[in-house]
Every structure is written in structure tokens, then in C-alpha cells.
Amino acid sequence: MDLMGGYLLICLILFSANLALLMGNLKLDNFRVVFLSLVSGVVTFALINISSLIKTQLSFLLGYFTLIFLIVAVAIFLIMLYYVKNEEMKLPVYSISAMAMISAVLISSQSDLMFFDTIAYSLLVFIVFFVVYQLSRLLMHAKRQYPIIVGEFMCLFAILMFIFALTYYSTFTLDYSMFSSFLILTPLYQLMYLLIGIVVLMVVGALLNEGYGGNS
């Protein structure tokens, strides 16, 4: 019944996948990938729990959340253009990481997550980062340049954040008593299906390109 918690889950998945894709060019060994995945999960756990403690202090920003997330959406799009043009990952990684932390704190401060939920969310970040980084090795063999593929994902990411920004206030003020649990969760399910579809298309496209002779 906590749609804000659902939005937080989607944002964490997107940010984790985006960071893993950006770092795909580093060719890290499994130990380092596990370490970075673990750091991502621990930071997520800390941010979610810290935000619950400072929820009152952040309440004055509630009226500006839509503007903040619009800025985040535009920033992701600009970072995408920079990354595709320069193929340099340091600035995009730092920028995406900063926006991920800000978004996680703001959204989780308005959700009602239990302690078990924070553990589950952190574990999911760990899994997403590790799995997407492993999948990025497949994308390296695609005919299309790797920065272009990552840029397409970032463009979709920016669009989804833009939609979230426009629907944030109406979602936050939604009267849950008017709907059944299924109807409330339906938009979240639709977004999850969209994310799963994007990932599947990326992997299938990479495999097809590799099968027809990629740029390995």
C-alpha cells in the first residue's frame, strides 16, 4: 500500500543499473564487483534509515520535490549527452551517485518502510548492481558502441524520472482508502514490467548482435 516505497524501489533499481553500466568499461574482476555491489547496498541501507530519522527536518522540502526531481531528470539527460560525446565515465559516475543518494533520502523520507524492507531494498541494490555489471560484458560485444547503448538507457531513465516528477505530488496525496490494494499497486507493477522489458531488450539485442558478428 506504500506507493512512495514503490517509487523508491524503482529509483534504486534504475540508479544501480545505471552506475553498473557506466562502470562496465572498467573490466573489474569479480571480487571488486562484489565489493562495489556490497558498498552500494550498505550505503542504500544507511541512507534509507538516516532519512527516516530526519523526516521532520526534510518536511519543508515537500513542496519542492517535483521541482527537484525535474532537475534530476534534466541532469540525467545532460549527463547522457556528455557521456556519449566524451566517453568519459568519471564525471557521470560521480554525478549519478550524488543524485542517487539525494533521491533515496528524499523519497524514503516520505515512505513508511519497515526495517525488513530496508534490508530487502539494500539486498536488491546489491543484486542489481552485480547482475547488470555482468550483463554489461555482453553489451561490449554488440555492434553498436557501448556508450551509445548506455546513453539509450540513460535517456529512458531520464524520461521515467520526468514522469515520476510530474506524478509525485498526486501520488503522495493519494487517498489509499479509495482503492483496493491491487488497484493501488497496479501502476507500480506496470513500471516494473517496463523496466524488466527494457533490460530483456538490451540483453537480447546484445546477443543478436554478437551472433551476427559484434565489435569484439
Side-chain angles (χ1 to χ4, degrees), residues 62-78:
L62 187 58
Y64 302 97
F65 274 24
T66 295
L67 177 60
I68 292 173
F69 291 121
L70 282 175
I71 294 174
V72 169
V74 173
I76 293 172
F77 184 78
L78 294 177

Side-chain angles (χ1 to χ4, degrees), residues 141 143 205-214:
H141 298 284
K143 287 185 177 181
L207 292 174
L208 289 176
N209 279 318
E210 183 179 11
Y212 287 103

Side-chain angles (χ1 to χ4, degrees), residues 5-216:
Y7 273 122
L8 174 62
L9 177 63
I10 292 172
C11 286
L12 290 175
I13 292 174
L14 288 172
F15 277 116
S16 301
N18 205 159
L19 285 172
L21 288 173
L22 285 171
M23 301 180 72
N25 275 325
L26 293 181
K27 298 181 180 179
L28 303 173
D29 56 47
N30 286 334
F31 176 79
R32 292 183 179 179
V33 176
V34 170
F35 176 75
L36 289 175
S37 303
L38 181 61
V39 169
S40 301
V42 171
V43 170
T44 299
F45 180 80
L47 290 175
I48 294 176
N49 284 279
I50 290 174
S51 65
S52 63
L53 299 177
I54 60 175
K55 181 175 182 177
T56 304
Q57 289 81 351
L58 293 175
S59 60
F60 76 97
L61 289 173
L62 187 58
Y64 302 97
F65 274 24
T66 295
L67 177 60
I68 292 173
F69 291 121
L70 282 175
I71 294 174
V72 169
V74 173
I76 293 172
F77 184 78
L78 294 177
I79 292 171
M80 179 270 294
L81 295 178
Y82 173 86
Y83 175 73
V84 171
K85 181 178 180 180
N86 298 283
E87 298 187 15
E88 192 272 325
M89 54 154 287
K90 184 176 293 186
L91 177 62
V93 166
Y94 290 153
S95 302
I96 293 294
S97 298
M99 287 187 289
M101 290 188 288
I102 292 172
S103 300
V105 170
L106 292 179
I107 301 175
S108 59
S109 68
Q110 304 304 318
S111 63
D112 297 314
L113 298 177
M114 306 296 290
F115 181 75
F116 176 78
D117 296 327
T118 63
I119 296 177
Y121 279 32
S122 303
L123 181 60
L124 182 63
V125 168
F126 172 86
I127 295 173
V128 169
F129 190 98
F130 181 82
V131 171
V132 173
Y133 184 86
Q134 300 300 330
L135 292 176
S136 69
R137 298 177 180 179
L138 293 176
L139 298 177
M140 291 292 183
H141 298 284
K143 287 185 177 181
R144 308 189 69 181
Q145 294 182 351
Y146 184 73
I148 300 298
I149 298 175
V150 178
E152 291 174 347
F153 175 84
M154 294 181 70
C155 187
L156 291 172
F157 186 8
I159 293 173
L160 288 173
M161 287 299 292
F162 182 77
I163 294 173
F164 170 66
L166 295 180
T167 59
Y168 170 80
Y169 186 75
S170 59
T171 301
F172 179 74
T173 57
L174 185 66
D175 183 5
Y176 291 168
S177 64
M178 297 173 59
F179 306 94
S180 67
S181 301
F182 176 78
L183 291 178
I184 288 179
L185 291 174
T186 296
L188 176 59
Y189 289 153
Q190 291 173 344
L191 286 175
M192 291 296 293
Y193 294 152
L194 176 60
L195 292 177
I196 294 172
I198 291 172
V199 174
V200 170
L201 286 176
M202 291 175 64
V203 174
V204 171
L207 292 174
L208 289 176
N209 279 318
E210 183 179 11
Y212 287 103
N215 60 353
S216 57

